[in-house]
Amino acid sequence: METSSKEQQAVNQIEEIFGKHEAYRRAHARGAAYKGLFEGSGEASELTDAAHFQKTEVPVLVRFSHFSPDPTWADAMSPVKGMAVQFQLGPEDVTNIVSVTSPVFFTRSPERFVEMLKVSRSFQKGRPKLAELAELLTDFPEVRAMFSSMKKMTVPESFATGVYHSIHAFYFVKAGNKQAVKYVFEPDAGEDRRALKDMTDLPFGYYEGELAERTSRSPVSFRLYAAIGEADDPTDDPTRDWPKDRERVFLGRLIIDAPDAEAEQALYDPTVMTKGVICSEDPILRFRREAYRTSHERRTAEQQKSGPST
Ligand code: HEM
């Protein structure tokens, strides 16, 4: 019998804990998908030959999302929002940046991710068991930082006003030189945040509706920057952000245009690179490749049976 990989097992566990929602992504299940344009600035051309970072225009697919694997969760239950961008460089050449409204992830190893899923199983039906919560804090000290940051948690008021981080490092490469970078998207509409406690009355699907209304009035856009890593900045640890004062290079402007069905179906695998950019050694980044492919295979097979999720 074929044995399943660690990545497939992780996706199985997500299904066990959050429920199996056929035809949906196994994480970030609900969202809003658009097409648009990326206007490269050319300001990083000394560091990378990547086609989209030259002075150019490239079509893009963009999908905003709520992090929950369960599409029925209220908007406020998903304080972390996502923005996945696919740069369409040519018929056989795409590359993705998958980002969220948090600069850090809660664990640095795929094994810990799976262990944490197991322990958090008790959370699924409302209140976690106290003993298990205590165990989680003792066994996974990195979770403490996440819990304490969640206490002061704020969320963007709109998908259009979040600051989105790639979390992982990548390398720009050119002529034998290698430069570590992290991506950040900043909203042209300005960053706008609300306390999580003020969000609970929002109707289901508020973010999707608000974005549809906003884009029908005027385009929504973001500036994309590369933070330039220095010698001691970790490139393999998504639980640690780099210092805020790192030099940044303006890579270009992302302009969101109109809703798009292809953008909802697309696979935004964060490890798909193009000439001039390579993945860092971050084990979580590398783990994501097969996990995303597993989810994509399942949801597309289910959609062929029953029709798309949206
Ligand atoms: C062990 C770590 C992780 C696992 C197992 C995991 C798993 C998944 C899966 C299965 C999907 C659905 C993919 C699809 O059907 O296309 C997904 C989507 C997503 N994940 Fe992760 N993820 C991980 C880490 C991260 C991190 C560190 C980020 C932060 C940038 C992130 C951000 C997102 C976003 C924004 C989406 C939605 C992408 C879209 O709109 O298609 N994930 N994740």
Side-chain angles (χ1 to χ4, degrees):
M1 209 178 90
E2 219 180 292
T3 53
S4 59
S5 66
K6 279 193 206 142
E7 290 85 347
Q8 287 165 335
Q9 288 169 23
V11 174
N12 293 346
Q13 268 189 351
I14 296 176
E15 288 178 357
E16 269 179 50
I17 293 168
F18 294 91
K20 188 169 172 191
H21 302 281
E22 293 219 342
Y24 284 93
R25 284 166 172 75
R26 270 37 179 188
H28 292 254
R30 183 157 60 86
Y34 284 76
K35 64 181 169 54
L37 194 70
F38 181 72
E39 297 175 345
S41 71
E43 289 178 25
S45 55
E46 307 267 284
L47 298 174
T48 174
D49 287 323
H52 51 316
F53 297 145
Q54 310 309 307
K55 195 149 182 54
T56 185
E57 288 189 352
V58 175
V60 289
L61 302 180
V62 181
R63 182 173 180 271
F64 295 91
S65 55
H66 309 278
F67 93 87
S68 175
D70 182 342
T72 67
W73 277 22
D75 295 25
M77 292 271 287
S78 285
V80 176
K81 308 298 179 195
M83 181 170 74
V85 182
Q86 181 161 100
F87 301 85
Q88 301 190 305
L89 305 173
E92 299 288 310
D93 192 7
V94 299
T95 185
N96 303 314
I97 299 179
V98 183
S99 56
V100 288
T101 53
S102 162
V104 288
F105 195 52
F106 55 86
T107 180
R108 73 180 76 88
S109 96
E111 290 72 26
R112 302 279 273 189
F113 176 82
V114 171
E115 284 170 45
M116 284 181 186
L117 279 184
K118 282 188 191 149
V119 175
S120 57
R121 192 167 300 178
S122 67
F123 298 3
Q124 58 181 317
K125 298 256 179 317
R127 290 170 68 84
K129 290 192 191 108
L130 272 184
E132 289 188 20
L133 195 56
E135 184 190 338
L136 193 67
L137 285 169
T138 323
D139 289 356
F140 308 108
E142 64 264 48
V143 173
R144 236 171 267 167
M146 191 185 74
F147 280 166
S148 80
S149 84
M150 279 181 73
K151 271 197 221 142
K152 23 183 184 13
M153 191 67 139
T154 56
V155 267
E157 282 206 8
S158 157
F159 281 138
T161 59
V163 174
Y164 294 87
H165 306 262
S166 67
I167 296 187
H168 307 291
F170 296 85
Y171 291 108
F172 281 172
V173 284
K174 178 153 180 167
N177 294 323
K178 205 170 147 194
Q179 171 61 57
V181 297
K182 282 192 180 192
Y183 297 111
V184 58
F185 287 98
E186 291 194 345
D188 280 332
E191 189 184 5
D192 213 343
R193 303 184 76 84
R194 286 191 192 193
L196 198 55
K197 63 176 172 43
D198 299 335
M199 302 284 291
T200 42
D201 290 339
L202 287 184
F204 182 86
Y206 167 83
Y207 279 79
E208 291 89 316
E210 194 274 347
L211 189 63
E213 210 264 315
R214 193 186 275 259
T215 49
S216 72
R217 276 187 278 121
S218 58
V220 160
S221 57
F222 292 83
R223 300 177 309 280
L224 174 60
Y225 294 93
I228 304 296
E230 295 186 6
D232 292 332
D233 292 340
T235 49
D236 61 353
D237 185 350
T239 66
R240 286 169 60 203
D241 195 12
W242 293 349
K244 295 272 169 283
D245 61 357
R246 289 292 171 261
E247 183 196 338
R248 299 200 314 178
V249 178
F250 173 60
L251 298 175
R253 179 165 269 110
L254 176 72
I255 302 159
I256 316 286
D257 180 14
D260 188 72
E262 186 195 345
E264 178 58 32
Q265 300 311 314
L267 167 62
Y268 301 88
D269 170 350
T271 68
V272 172
M273 300 288 106
T274 188
K275 182 173 175 274
V277 191
I278 57 176
C279 290
S280 63
E281 43 293 274
D282 186 333
I284 292 280
L285 174 60
R286 293 181 178 249
F287 191 80
R288 291 172 69 188
R289 183 180 183 86
E290 201 188 321
Y292 285 46
R293 282 164 195 267
T294 301
S295 169
H296 180 253
E297 263 167 39
R298 291 184 190 178
R299 64 181 162 93
T300 40
E302 290 156 1
Q303 283 166 13
Q304 275 154 16
K305 277 193 305 181
S306 63
S309 60
T310 48

